[in-house]
Amino acid sequence: MTVEVPFLDLVAANDEVRADLDAAYTRVSASGRYLLGPELTAFEREFAAYCAARHCVGVGSGLDALVLALRALGVGPGDEVIVPAHTFIATWLAVSATGARPVPVEPGGSSFGICPERLADALTPRVKAVLVVHLYGHPVDLDAVRAVADRYGVPVVEDAAQAHAATYRGRPIGAGGVVAFSFYPAKNLGALGDGGAVVTDDARLAERVRLLRNYGSARKYEHQVQGGNSRLDEFQAAVLRAKLPYLDEWTARRDRVARRYTEALSEVPDLVLPTVAPWATSAWHLYVVRTRHRELLRGRLAEAGVETLVHYPTPVHRSGAYRDTETVRRAGPLPLIERLAEEVLSLPIGPHLSDESVEMVVSVVRAALTDMAAQVGAASSRSVRRAAPTRPPTT
């Protein structure tokens, strides 16, 4: 299959800022400082300001950002942490890495995030944190979640790996919380390798994360706690500094693609489109639709050269990492998550997707699902005719 419409074009994104990236590489390579240097300090300051937060601590990956945030809050062996049932496995792995047990909670309504009502049912004295995910770029209703968590005195940690530039009630995601970001290359703000950050207003928590990322040390050979090695290196920090000024424009382009999809596909049968809450703006990291005919639709798109992805085909509780664990045994059935895994499909979206490519996607989706609806309708009519009672003979 020839790919005419890639799911995401990272080369085009880097080409747009090629001069800035070349300058960043030259600056770092000539500096002699490759870890914990001026580029990291500058990026931490700039990204904190972008998020309307006081502190940003750069670390080695998005997973590390979650782990270190949880550890800085004191989460450890024997504790429990509430997690979304529908998410990438890293959210659960971060909890497990601290020695705590993830407790999955299903979403509610049309949202993919944790349902506040179900959250209340899951909170016990063993729960030491609630870990929410701004999935696909759309914020969780933080006020509703915090209202429940606050009643139990439990902190909320935000996984914002897909939510750079999203806003909640007029404020950037990253403001006023304990928020973990990933800078994996495919993220809305992506490095040229792994990277992550913890953003917070809490100076003591930020300092704790700084210790934990660097062997538990603030000064060389002085180790205050048992830390690790998770540092956002100077080159990746410089790359992120080069890309950060473009993030708002790239997000606006994603929004235009999402609006066109929504406008053009709103009447297509058997297709559920993503929505945006009135109190939020989405970063549109992904445009995820739902349909009972996913494999047919995905096949038709592939035939046309359109690349799609499924986020996520295997629910975390069904993965080899968790399916035989106490976490899953105690969670019980998660039917909604299993249905989502069978229906979700991510259409191409990105700041460098052309108008022609968007229209191709729209055309194929419309045709595929309209044809399927017609076939289902015809089959249903034939079935009704076959089942119709025979009229008795007249006398």
Side-chain angles (χ1 to χ4, degrees):
M1 180 197 77
T2 301
V3 175
E4 296 186 27
V5 181
F7 184 76
L8 179 66
D9 191 343
L10 292 178
V11 174
N14 291 329
D15 283 345
E16 184 174 349
V17 297
R18 181 65 58 193
D20 302 291
L21 295 180
D22 289 346
Y25 172 78
T26 299
R27 193 167 66 244
V28 173
S29 63
S31 72
R33 290 289 303 275
Y34 308 119
L35 289 168
L36 300 179
E39 295 291 340
L40 176 59
T41 299
F43 172 70
E44 289 176 334
R45 181 179 63 251
E46 291 160 8
F47 192 63
Y50 182 86
C51 295
R54 291 193 178 96
H55 306 281
C56 170
V57 184
V59 299
S61 69
L63 174 57
D64 283 356
L66 289 170
V67 173
L68 297 183
L70 291 169
R71 288 189 62 193
L73 287 168
V75 174
D79 295 333
E80 294 181 351
V81 175
I82 303 292
V83 296
H86 181 62
T87 185
F88 182 53
I89 196 172
T91 311
W92 291 38
L93 290 175
V95 177
S96 298
T98 69
R101 186 178 74 86
V103 177
V105 172
E106 286 197 309
S110 61
S111 169
F112 290 106
I114 283 177
C115 173
E117 291 75 20
R118 290 174 176 160
L119 169 61
D121 293 338
L123 280 165
T124 71
R126 292 184 296 274
V127 172
K128 294 300 185 290
V130 174
L131 178 49
V132 299
V133 179
H134 302 302
L135 198 65
Y136 306 148
H138 190 287
V140 168
D141 189 349
L142 290 167
D143 286 353
V145 170
R146 285 174 178 153
V148 177
D150 288 350
R151 289 205 303 267
Y152 292 82
V154 176
V156 175
V157 178
E158 301 169 49
D159 181 343
Q162 301 179 357
H164 317 73
T167 67
Y168 176 74
R169 301 194 184 277
R171 301 189 70 194
I173 291 298
V178 178
V179 189
F181 286 90
S182 168
F183 303 123
Y184 178 76
K187 301 302 184 185
N188 292 31
L189 179 63
L192 296 183
D194 272 320
V198 177
V199 173
T200 182
D201 284 345
D202 187 330
R204 293 171 63 183
L205 186 137
E207 185 56 32
R208 181 78 173 176
V209 174
R210 288 191 181 94
L211 289 174
L212 291 170
R213 76 176 175 181
N214 188 42
Y215 303 104
S217 173
R219 293 188 182 85
K220 197 168 185 177
Y221 302 130
E222 295 181 18
H223 306 278
Q224 298 167 247
V225 297
Q226 295 181 13
N229 177 3
S230 180
R231 301 172 294 199
L232 182 65
D233 68 61
E234 286 290 279
F235 177 59
Q236 301 304 342
V239 166
L240 293 167
R241 291 186 69 201
K243 290 185 174 183
L244 183 58
Y246 296 84
L247 180 55
D248 285 344
E249 169 60 24
W250 288 347
T251 304
R253 293 184 207 168
R254 287 176 178 270
D255 184 67
R256 286 195 291 272
V257 173
R259 288 176 183 272
R260 176 54 186 156
Y261 280 156
T262 299
E263 173 190 52
L265 300 175
S266 60
E267 302 300 324
V268 173
D270 290 315
L271 189 68
V272 179
L273 303 180
T275 59
V276 179
W279 37 258
T281 64
S282 178
W284 292 114
H285 177 65
L286 299 172
Y287 190 93
V288 180
V289 301
R290 292 177 58 187
T291 175
R292 296 174 298 164
H293 309 298
R294 182 183 68 198
E295 295 312 312
L296 174 140
L297 177 57
R298 196 177 189 200
R300 289 281 291 271
L301 286 163
E303 290 170 5
V306 177
E307 188 177 29
T308 60
L309 292 176
V310 175
H311 297 85
Y312 303 95
T314 302
V316 180
H317 70 279
R318 292 291 189 192
S319 69
Y322 284 99
R323 85 175 152 246
D324 296 322
T325 63
E326 181 67 14
T327 287
V328 172
R329 284 191 289 272
R330 289 175 59 182
L334 297 167
L336 175 56
I337 302 311
E338 298 195 16
R339 187 162 73 250
L340 288 175
E342 295 173 352
E343 295 181 352
V344 293
L345 180 66
S346 300
L347 302 181
I349 191 168
H352 300 88
L353 192 65
S354 69
D355 291 343
E356 293 77 14
S357 294
V358 172
E359 294 308 317
M360 178 186 288
V361 175
V362 165
S363 176
V364 175
V365 171
R366 277 176 170 167
L369 291 181
T370 301
D371 289 350
M372 173 57 68
Q375 292 170 21
V376 170
S380 176
S381 296
R382 288 194 298 271
S383 176
V384 169
R385 286 197 298 271
R386 285 196 300 269
T390 304
R391 288 186 178 182
T394 58
T395 57

